[in-house]
Amino acid sequence: MAVSTPVWAQDITAPGLKGAPACDGRGETIDIDLFDISAVSQNSAMFGIKAYSNLFSVLNGREGGGGPYSLSLQVHPARGGSRVFNLGFSINSGLPNLGASTQDATGLQPKTTYYAEMTVAGISGAVARRCFMTGGTYTPTNNVLNNGSTGCFSIPGLSRHDIRNCLCGRKSSGGWWKTDGTEQERTNRNNATSTQLGCAN
């Protein structure tokens, strides 16, 4: 006979999410691959601007205006709210290349979904958009075996993003399996599971 074992105040520090599993409303799009997201934490994320040779010609082929072109990397809360980060670039015939750099967006809210997008003035839509969710601390209050939800699934009020984020913080478990409609954590999280969940780090 299975016995339920309560686990009280079991704090789980989650690293955050990135990629398609972190998208909340707006999906990812990569028309021109100009940046990556790394080092997601509870309050910040690192943006790696990619070197792009002769970006001016690519943009000129789309717009046909001869430039110069103003690019903007912006970060927005996925569920609405004011822009929280903005970084501008300029590309013209004399400076046709985009140089590689890293930029850190700080002051973000924990356990919050965001999207970052690169836009070009005069060109409709984002040329690149990526999703991420900041990390945070989750505290499951119970661990019910074979009788309902466990661990990260047992925290009331969590969105599917929170559940994924919480599971990413589990060192010895992740993912889930279903029995009679219940959702329970499974042990032995591996790299494949981490990728499927969208774990940031």
Side-chain angles (χ1 to χ4, degrees), residues 28-97:
E28 291 197 323
T29 181
I30 307 298
D31 185 20
I32 306 175
D33 192 7
L34 298 178
F35 72 96
D36 279 325
I37 300 174
S38 63
V40 179
S41 72
Q42 292 191 31
N43 303 108
S44 66
M46 183 72 73
F47 298 92
I49 309 303
K50 297 184 176 183
Y52 202 103
S53 181
N54 208 4
L55 180 58
F56 175 77
S57 292
V58 174
L59 297 177
N60 201 38
R62 305 268 178 107
E63 177 63 16
Y69 297 103
S70 297
L71 287 75
S72 178
L73 175 63
Q74 302 181 5
V75 178
H76 302 266
R79 297 178 188 175
S82 301
R83 180 182 66 203
V84 296
F85 180 79
N86 184 47
L87 182 67
F89 305 89
S90 182
I91 298 292
N92 56 55
S93 59
L95 295 169
N97 305 324

Side-chain angles (χ1 to χ4, degrees), residues 84-140:
V84 296
F85 180 79
N86 184 47
L87 182 67
F89 305 89
S90 182
I91 298 292
N92 56 55
S93 59
L95 295 169
N97 305 324
L98 182 64
S101 64
T102 56
Q103 305 291 334
D104 194 19
T106 59
L108 305 179
Q109 294 299 310
K111 299 188 286 189
T112 302
T113 52
Y114 292 92
Y115 67 90
E117 61 183 14
M118 187 79 80
T119 59
V120 181
I123 296 179
S124 179
V127 295
R129 182 187 304 115
R130 296 187 184 277
C131 306
F132 70 99
M133 180 180 187
T134 48
T137 300
Y138 298 88
T139 307

Side-chain angles (χ1 to χ4, degrees), residues 130-150:
R130 296 187 184 277
C131 306
F132 70 99
M133 180 180 187
T134 48
T137 300
Y138 298 88
T139 307
T141 57
N142 62 67
N143 186 359
V144 182
L145 300 178
N146 299 322
N147 189 27
S149 299
T150 65

Side-chain angles (χ1 to χ4, degrees), residues 152-164:
C152 295
F153 290 102
S154 71
I155 308 172
L158 293 193
S159 70
R160 62 186 172 89
H161 297 94
D162 285 306
I163 292 171
R164 286 177 177 270

